[in-house]
Amino acid sequence: MYSEKVMDHFTNPRNVGEMPDADGVGTEGNPTCGDVMKISIKVKDGRIVDAKFKTFGCGAAIAVSSMVTEMVKGKTLEEALSISKETVANELGGLPPQKMHCSNLGADALKKAIEDYKSKQM
Amino acid sequence: MYSEKVMDHFTNPRNVGEMPDADGVGTEGNPTCGDVMKISIKVKDGRIVDAKFKTFGCGAAIAVSSMVTEMVKGKTLEEALSISKETVANELGGLPPQKMHCSNLGADALKKAIEDYKSKQM
Amino acid sequence: MRKCYFDHAATNPLHPQVFDAMIPFLKEDFGNPMSVYDLGIRAKMAIENARTQVASLINAKPSEIIFTSSGAEANNFALRGIALARQNEGKHIIVSKMEHHSILNSARFLEKMGFAVTYLPVDKYGLIDPDIVKKSITKETTLISIIHASSEVGIIEPIKEIAMVAKEKGIIFHTDAVAAAGNISVDVKELNVDLLSMAAHQFYGPKGAGALYVREGLRIVPLIYGGIQENGRRAGTENVPAIVGMGKAAELAKAELSARMGSVKKLRDRLVDGILKVENVYLTGHPTDRLPGHASFCVEYIEGEAMLLLLAARGIYSASGSACSSKALKASPVLLAMGIPASLAQGSIVFTLGTDNSDDDIKYLLNEFLQVITRLREISPYAKGWGVWRKVDNVFRKSNGPFYKPQECW
Amino acid sequence: MRKCYFDHAATNPLHPQVFDAMIPFLKEDFGNPMSVYDLGIRAKMAIENARTQVASLINAKPSEIIFTSSGAEANNFALRGIALARQNEGKHIIVSKMEHHSILNSARFLEKMGFAVTYLPVDKYGLIDPDIVKKSITKETTLISIIHASSEVGIIEPIKEIAMVAKEKGIIFHTDAVAAAGNISVDVKELNVDLLSMAAHQFYGPKGAGALYVREGLRIVPLIYGGIQENGRRAGTENVPAIVGMGKAAELAKAELSARMGSVKKLRDRLVDGILKVENVYLTGHPTDRLPGHASFCVEYIEGEAMLLLLAARGIYSASGSACSSKALKASPVLLAMGIPASLAQGSIVFTLGTDNSDDDIKYLLNEFLQVITRLREISPYAKGWGVWRKVDNVFRKSNGPFYKPQECW
Ligand SMILES: Cc1ncc(COP(=O)(O)O)c(C=O)c1O
Ligand SMILES: Cc1ncc(COP(=O)(O)O)c(C=O)c1O
């Protein structure tokens, strides 16, 4: 069902954790209907230098979170904002169709984290 | 489906034939709906001394005819008239239920043959 | 004793390669295809592979195949599923008198539910006239279902022509191809049918697996409700070994179809030639538009079950449409619909050939058959003619003309 | 890697003796049971023998058993077949919220056909109260259908008591015993039920064979129309190998029932004890009235599919009622009906044991399970509590009382 890459990120997720000194934090989802992702980012000179996640959810949700935190590191905020459900799924070698919608919340949580960061700058 | 005895009488039927000098002939059944039996008897001193049959029909019908012609030989007319569907079926070691009704016409054909004989005596 | 199985229309032996394909799913690969772990995924993938194989046999897309447990289930599903799905558009359906019980009795169920059903007549060959189909269509007609090939008399109906009639009027068309699929070339695109039934055990696959082709986008009401198996259209834990077997059987049938048809037809023609040499034996069904392995006859003056059992005692397996040979004790309605008199229908005997039959089987059959007929005719009171029953018979002969001089039409 | 199959509620491996019993019918004994010659008779006799074996397992008469292709088919057949047969007497039926989809979705179909359906509520254990059943009965009620045992939470319902309620009012009673039959003692006479569904693959028999018990003399409308197979009540060429396998599996289940129940329960109790040592893990279903091999839990703060897949990666097969683990992407309606909050239902994990499991399997499971939970909780944002979601959770805890202190109730 899951690609090898999904299984790899699910069973050995990268960047698990909280970030006490996060510059931005975003949470997406709802445990009563499925998956929840919480992404924390550290920003320096307009670039995301570190990212961590905590996820409540299925294998796909964990793999997506892991992949998003990997993809985002070193990217400018603009670049990071261009990450979409599709680009994450592609990086993972595809996701089962029924998982595309519900468990693929990484990009959304990331956007929220970036917004959080931006709102704090204002 | 059929008992061994039925199969024996079906595959090696006794007393097949017509009887040019028959004392009585009885036919029962109808080829459009299934089986037809024609039984011819020879009567001497109130006893059936010979019987022959011709049958159009299934295995059970042929076995029944063969058995009836065997059973009847040597019997008085009264004794012969007491032969019923059930006694024939019992002699054959039983018949499948659905065959009891349609293919078990031997006793009826025999009755008709005896009636034929009797009507000729009058 | 020699054993010759000439009853392939009843069911087929399993192809050894089909057997081999099934075994792992009766052993280590026992997972439920709905399970999300590897054992379930392997079962699910095996089913999807089988779906592709079955689709390929009839030139459909895999997503257009719904697995069922039998041909009868596929027929019930098609007839009732479409009639119900479209009942707001009309409540009239059309079937023929050649249909299998699973169509006829589904139609009768629909009648009880308020549908009107037309049962189309057939000619002496069992042929359905597309023009008669056309004339039977009303504004209320939503579905036409016609058998592709008859397992009783072997006739192949003009499905493409009838489907075209349906298409012209925008009516859904189903064909019961249970006896046809895997035995002759069946292509849903070329036939232009909307639904098509099939059963694995008719082409060397296992019992317990059938399929309904449903053209993409067509809505059908399920027959078996429950979980989301078969995309929510047919519930129940999938019979994985049987489905895998059906897939393999379809793959083999596709690869070997023309070879099988050729060899089986050659034997069949020899069989028919031989049997028609016997006096007062008539071919039933169409002389040329028939399944390649199908040979069906009516033998005058004797009864089918008796023939069948004496042949079986000699190791030859066949079928009959006589009343006595059916467990329902009714002569085949198909034979009667073709106008065959009931007395003659009692003499029905059917040989259906398969890839397991050889030339020697045919020789053996012809020899034994003559003996059996001779024997039974000796026992029959009609061996010299139908006597009082002749009248019926003569009327029939006249109205049916040269068909019953088989030498002329075969 | 060690392989431990703890998903017997999904499907069972085939018993080796069942496999052996089936093989001849996949090979030389391939005849159609409707055929009147020896090959057909052998198949027919094998089916009748299986019918006797299945009947004997549930203390029924052979003539009261109708073979189907699955548990789902048996359920559809029962619900719709009785509702239709009795529609002139009333159009109200009663089912519970614990039912399998094949009952629930059949009920919904009947609703579309103009029937009224009551879906009975359950308590926190999933228990159905006979008094509530009684109160739901109207003059229009013709059928009550209640699940015997749930494959999701293992609870065994008070079928005998509910059947008595139905009997008192002269209402037909069906029980879905698919998860129960062959796993606990099921006796139709003692339970006094009118209809009962079962499936072979739930007791080491094959997929593709189920059965519906129909009390003698009870009229039921067929689900699959066609020929006279199964006494005209279920058409389609019989799946002889699967039916034979079901018979053998029933015979073995009957002979070994108490031994199987004993050994499986011992392992299950050990499993439950071990798992409930983990913090914030709750047993679902009833503490004592449950299937002997059934252990089901909700694990807080993590999700079922993730647990299930990490376990599977370690060779441990289980199930979950979480939304993400179901192909329909819906959390188990059964868990929700029991009042379990949706967030907690996501943490559903179910282990169902069978005769192939050993003590070492349990040890292995407990060890790996702890690791998997620990791991996933490290990843979870809720490991220290539900945060804003706690409110829901607390309400639930209060209303559900001590049940969620499993130490007290197990
Ligand atoms: C209680 C219950 N009813 C019905 C079914 C459906 O049976 P089947 O999967 O054989 O269709 C199941 C399946 O496991 C079940 O557990
Ligand atoms: C034309 C036709 N339709 C339907 C069926 C029923 O198929 P099954 O026996 O698989 O239920 C048959 C059976 O041989 C058949 O020949």
Side-chain angles (χ1 to χ4, degrees), chain A residues 19-25 39-52 72-75 77 110 113 117:
Chain A
M19 208 183 262
D21 56 344
D23 294 322
V25 178
I39 289 188
S40 313
I41 52 173
K42 189 112 205 99
V43 182
K44 211 170 190 172
D45 303 335
R47 279 188 193 272
I48 296 173
V49 292
D50 198 10
K52 296 253 180 240
V72 87
K73 278 197 235 172
K75 284 212 165 53
L77 295 181
L110 175 64
Y117 164 76

Side-chain angles (χ1 to χ4, degrees), chain B residues 11-49:
Chain B
T11 52
N12 302 299
R14 286 57 146 174
N15 311 311
V16 174
E18 310 266 5
M19 209 183 262
D21 57 344
D23 295 322
V25 178
T27 301
E28 187 59 279
N30 176 332
T32 67
C33 50
D35 307 300
V36 181
M37 289 178 202
K38 181 178 172 188
I39 289 188
S40 313
I41 51 172
K42 189 110 205 100
V43 182
K44 210 171 192 172
D45 302 334
R47 280 188 191 271
I48 296 175
V49 292

Side-chain angles (χ1 to χ4, degrees), chain A residues 1-2 10-13 16 30-36 38 53-60 62 98-99 102, chain D residues 301-303 305-307 309-310 313 323-325 327 329 342-343 346 375-382 386 389:
Chain A
M1 186 173 66
Y2 287 141
F10 165 42
T11 52
N12 303 299
V16 174
N30 176 334
T32 67
C33 50
D35 307 300
V36 181
K38 181 178 171 186
F53 80 89
K54 284 265 180 164
T55 288
F56 169 91
C58 66
I62 291 172
Q98 78 271 24
K99 297 286 183 181
C102 341
Chain D
Y301 316 130
I302 60 179
E303 190 276 334
E305 190 224 68
M307 269 188 273
L309 288 179
L310 286 188
C324 300
S325 63
K327 296 204 175 171
L329 293 181
S343 55
Q346 300 300 346
R375 177 94 182 241
L376 287 172
R377 282 185 173 166
E378 276 165 20
I379 302 177
S380 170
Y382 299 113
W386 285 108
W389 303 102

